[in-house]
Amino acid sequence: MGRWLTILGAIVGVVILAIIAILAYAYFNLNSIIAANRGYIVARASSALGRPVQIQNIKASLGWGVKVAVRGVTVGDDPSFSQLPFLEAAGVDVDVKLLPLLSRSVKVTKLEIDQPQLRIIRSSGGTLNFSTIGGKAHAAQPSASLPQEKTNNAASLAALTVGSLRIDHGTVLYADRQSGAVPLKVSDLNLAIDNFGVNAPFDLAMSLAVMGNQQDLTVSGKVGPLMHEGRIQTTSVPIDLNVTIGPVTIAQLQAVPQLVRAIPSALSIPQPITVELKVTGSSDAPIVAVSTDFTDNQVNYDAMLSKAANVPFKFAATASRAGHTLRLEHAELVLASLRAHASDVVVEPHHYAARIDTNNFDLGPLGKVLTPLAPYNLTGSAEIHSTLRLADHQPAADGTVTLANVNARLPGSTIPPIGALSGNIQMAGNSAKLGPISFRLGTNPARLEAIAQSLRPLRASYRLNAAIVNIGELVPSRRAMGEHLNQLAITGNVNRGSRGAVYATSNLTSGSGMAAGMPYQNLNLEAIYDGSQFTISSLKLNAFQGAVAASGVASAGGDRSFNLRLTAAHLNVREVLASQRSQAANILRGSLTGNAQIGGAGRGFDQIKPTLHGTGGAVLTQGRLLGINVVGQALQKVDNLPGIGALVPASVVARHPELFRSSDTDIQNATFTFVLQGPRLVTHDLNVAAADYSLLGDGWFDMDKNIDLAARIVLSQALSTELITAKHNVAYIARPDNRIEIPLRIVGQLPKPLILPNVTVLAQRAATHAAQREVGKLLGKRGGGGLGGLIGGGTKLNPLNQLKGLFR
């Protein structure tokens, strides 16, 4: 606004003074001066303005008044600003009353200026180039014919009045060297001034094109007086103006270099807008009342605002500026259902303050135009009464925000995740208290309290309680899982560090519930969030008839990596597997105790599975493998061994039906350690123990139930003895401790893998042991004639024939 007032003052004061100065001096002696002293007239005008003046032609006629037509007018600039003309005009027509001229007073009844061009410059020191007009004439403009008389230019200008001034199709060029901004050009300037005088206010009406080729700015009202203490003033000029900006598009405003920073590039208003202003006060301390109505317009601002046409959006304010301080006596904002009133607004370096009062507004219509809130389908109401301050980057607020029956719904959900929220937020300086606020989480009641001991830096504590929380109501994708938390209580602290990162600590307890398909009791979680990762200090719960504990870290962004330490004690394996909907729940029983250090990364299990890595160990007790009898099948598949035939006689099978006729594998105790490689667990020390045997394994199994395990079945001492007693030659495959060992391989997919005893190894072992035993017997007989007798055939017994019969 200061710029337009500067342009206005220049046009009203300087242009008129320059032209009238020429006419006044010319017509004091009309008959003789015009004819013979044209140079004298120009010199006197230059002396009066303190600027070089040039004209191409002057014509005058005399009647009841004086009519003068001047063509080709040029007024030079102060050389410290520019060498280009300050003012150029194609023509000037003026009517001057005759009688006042006789007393050296200029009373202009009509002044018309055609196509003037005015150059206004603001120096790096803040001085305007027309501020020196009316001073001493430049030495560069001497005239030997000037009379040596003392003149009072200010007095001459004070005697000037203009009844009517018209400027058509003018141009103003403005260059601000102090700010370094791109020069501004104003074109198609039309100006009408009535009752002009430098000692009194005058009427003004102006229209011009600032942001395009069409006129988009109109000004009307009163300006002046321009003279103060005998000099033309360039500051503190009294004004009372009505200003209309537009119709103009936001794109046109954004193209004006001086407005680039003031109008964000992300703001979009497709339709032209109009802004109304009332400007009073003075040119250097204006009081501006602005009003605009965007109701008919679409308004979009980045990801913050998306207003459709015909949604109410109005703004009105009255502002004043003194030095670097901007004050708003009041401001009114209407946006959808919101009616906000701001008063006592102060904006100055490092200090902002305002009083904000709103109506009790409906959140629904407002939530639809505020883009971040739109997906949540807000309903309910709110009301704000608060004083806000920001001094030296320290915020402070005193007041209350009241919320009533607020509901929010997630996209795609029919149940509001937050409903019936009601309560107050009380602010006191740099602190605040939230609640207690009652609300619903999904369909269940909850209660929240929070206290911010400091808003900047943020230091706050909170407590949340809910009798039950259904996770599926808050996260629709998990609705089918039936997850819920009973007797939920969360307490914690939130802090913001010096670098802006948020740090939060939480302690969560829940008496019972279901999470990730796992029913639990006595859940207790202690966690820390430091802006980049979650640290689980302690997680403990009872589940599956046992206990689970965990600790570790997980990143909050990026690849979502994690590294966890897990321990479990006495878990019911069937319940664990059933909770994860694993088919293995149908084949495995027992009580599991173990620990693991597991890491991975990903946003879903399909991404996580190939990245898994870690180590661990487990103990399974009172176990059973249903639908598969590993040992029974393996023993019965051992047949046609040299010197043995079938390994297990029918009599032994009859005495051990639980081993040979059961469809299951009993496991009294199983231990193993493992290395996790993606979805595969590799073990080298599987040890399964039962009453009649133990099984030692080395291999792997994976999360898709594939298995490849090299194993050895070692029968108990009692069962081994029973087999050897029933069939003596079974001793041929016994170990030195007389226990039977059966090598085998388990491959395929659970629950029906292939069980493949290694008959080849057994046959080789049986043949070797049988041969050694028979040879030993032969060597032990006497009277055989030594080795020669053994292989010569001269004895009663030929051991080669014995061996031959052995391997038939």
Side-chain angles (χ1 to χ4, degrees), residues 277-506:
L277 297 96
K278 175 70 173 178
V279 185
T280 57
S282 63
S283 58
D284 57 347
I287 300 172
V288 180
V290 58
S291 64
T292 187
D293 189 348
F294 297 141
T295 299
D296 295 334
N297 300 83
Q298 298 177 12
V299 182
N300 295 283
Y301 179 61
D302 202 14
M304 294 299 296
L305 181 68
S306 179
K307 188 198 81 68
N310 300 319
V311 174
F313 188 11
K314 303 176 183 179
F315 177 77
T318 298
S320 62
R321 188 180 188 93
H324 296 290
T325 299
L326 175 66
R327 294 182 182 274
L328 271 69
E329 295 180 7
H330 75 277
E332 299 283 346
L333 172 66
V334 175
L335 179 59
S337 57
L338 173 66
R339 306 290 188 272
H341 176 80
S343 58
D344 301 325
V345 181
V346 177
V347 180
E348 57 188 9
H350 311 297
H351 178 241
Y352 307 91
R355 171 70 188 182
I356 306 295
D357 295 282
T358 74
N359 63 327
N360 191 301
F361 57 93
D362 188 347
L363 290 171
L366 184 63
K368 292 179 181 179
V369 300
L370 297 179
T371 306
L373 301 180
Y376 300 101
N377 299 302
L378 287 176
T379 60
S381 64
E383 188 169 344
I384 303 170
H385 299 282
S386 180
T387 298
L388 307 177
R389 297 181 302 279
L390 180 63
D392 296 324
H393 307 289
Q394 295 297 318
D398 293 280
T400 303
V401 177
T402 302
L403 304 172
N405 199 31
V406 176
N407 297 274
R409 181 176 289 111
L410 292 173
S413 174
T414 57
I415 300 176
I418 297 178
L421 186 150
S422 298
N424 294 331
I425 303 172
Q426 297 177 335
M427 298 165 288
N430 192 38
S431 63
K433 180 181 179 182
L434 177 68
I437 289 181
S438 61
F439 61 102
R440 290 197 308 267
L441 272 176
T443 56
N444 300 291
R447 180 185 176 96
L448 174 65
E449 294 181 76
I451 296 177
Q453 296 85 3
S454 170
L455 295 174
R456 186 182 181 94
L458 178 63
R459 295 195 309 275
S461 58
Y462 65 92
R463 181 178 183 84
L464 171 69
N465 295 90
I468 182 171
V469 176
N470 293 315
I471 302 299
E473 294 178 348
L474 308 181
V475 185
S477 62
R478 303 180 72 88
R479 185 171 297 168
M481 302 179 68
E483 295 176 305
H484 60 278
L485 293 83
N486 300 326
Q487 299 89 46
L488 175 67
I490 306 175
T491 59
N493 298 287
V494 179
N495 299 278
R496 184 179 292 275
S498 58
R499 297 184 179 180
V502 174
Y503 296 84
T505 62
S506 296

